Amino acid sequence: MIISLIGYMGCGKSTTGKDLAKTLGYEFIDLDHYIENKYELSVSEIFDKFGELGFRKREKETLLEVLQKTNVVLSLGGGTPVYYDNIDVINANSISIFLRVQLPQLVKRLENKKHTRPLIAHLKDDELMEFIAKHLFERNHFYQKAKYTLNIANQNSSEVLNQIMEILKKEKI
Ligand SMILES: Nc1ncnc2c1ncn2[C@@H]1O[C@H](COP(=O)(O)OP(=O)(O)O)[C@@H](O)[C@H]1O
Ligand SMILES: O=C(O)C1=C[C@@H](OP(=O)(O)O)[C@@H](O)[C@H](O)C1
Ligand SMILES: [Mg+2]
């Protein structure tokens, strides 16, 4: 079984995924970290060297590779479900959960975490809100295809973890 976490940058996929894997005794895979190890380059370096399209191709190839595994919690990148037929492949091979965090919280969380994220690294803090609002509007359509959506207001990561465990009870996991 694979549990995949999807949602916008800053929604907590990497943080919550790690805790969830520990709780379930599953392997934890963060797709970005997996790509960085595989290609021996950071996500930012891949964007610089090969452009966004070069990153998306490597991301797709790596997604297909990790979806062959089992007993994994898979934290995806914010853009993974948005390209090619990735969302259909994700849904066919895992239980997908969309971590839905509201715009103001995303902006707050990303303000000091921009530098490792090439799509927003160049933005000034006062440009983040407008960029993310538009970007979310384009991407929500894909995120909403997840099997489950978890609405996160101010829950901390352990509260989010408990809510995911409630979802997984329905799946008998
Ligand atoms: N439930 C939460 N409440 C508050 N901050 C959180 C929560 N989950 C994650 N964060 C913080 O938000 C930032 C982005 O989290 P991260 O797990 O890297 O997101 P993603 O992988 O979805 O981009 C980090 O600084 C993390 O500590
Ligand atoms: O939203 C995106 O397109 C991206 C999100 C990042 O992952 P996080 O969502 O974990 O920040 C990373 O894959 C890359 O910078 C592109
Ligand atoms: Mg992440």
Side-chain angles (χ1 to χ4, degrees), residues 5 15 25 41 65 91 97 118 139 142 144 151 158 160 165:
L5 301 183
T15 311
L41 291 169
E65 183 184 325
N91 281 334
I97 304 177
R139 288 181 163 189
F142 296 91
Q144 281 163 3
N151 286 303
S158 72
V160 173
M165 292 304 287

Side-chain angles (χ1 to χ4, degrees), residues 65-172:
E65 183 184 325
V66 299
L67 286 175
Q68 302 296 317
K69 295 173 178 272
T70 190
N71 292 348
V72 168
V73 174
L74 176 59
S75 295
L76 296 168
T80 319
V82 175
Y83 292 87
Y84 312 103
D85 59 346
N86 289 357
I87 186 64
D88 297 328
V89 176
I90 292 163
N91 281 334
N93 292 283
S94 69
I95 298 169
S96 55
I97 304 177
F98 169 27
L99 304 183
R100 185 163 176 262
V101 173
Q102 296 299 319
L103 179 63
Q105 273 96 344
L106 289 176
V107 173
K108 215 163 87 188
R109 290 188 199 178
L110 289 170
E111 266 170 0
N112 52 358
K113 294 274 184 304
K114 284 182 302 193
H115 54 284
T116 55
R117 295 179 167 90
L119 293 177
I120 54 170
H122 63 289
L123 297 173
K124 300 195 185 77
D125 282 354
D126 63 359
E127 295 170 330
L128 261 185
M129 178 81 82
E130 195 188 340
F131 178 90
I132 297 174
K134 285 185 183 157
H135 210 196
L136 259 181
F137 183 75
E138 291 164 10
R139 288 181 163 189
N140 267 333
H141 166 75
F142 296 91
Y143 296 153
Q144 281 163 3
K145 290 188 176 179
K147 180 157 189 188
Y148 295 99
T149 294
L150 194 54
N151 286 303
I152 300 165
N154 287 308
Q155 297 96 317
N156 62 31
S157 49
S158 72
E159 289 166 332
V160 173
L161 176 63
N162 288 339
Q163 286 185 272
I164 294 178
M165 292 304 287
E166 285 302 312
I167 288 176
L168 294 181
K169 270 189 203 158
K170 287 186 219 158
E171 294 281 344
K172 307 219 184 317

Side-chain angles (χ1 to χ4, degrees), residues 44-55:
S44 302
E45 286 167 340
I46 297 176
F47 268 73
D48 283 348
K49 267 185 109 145
F50 307 107
E52 180 170 358
L53 189 61
F55 175 75

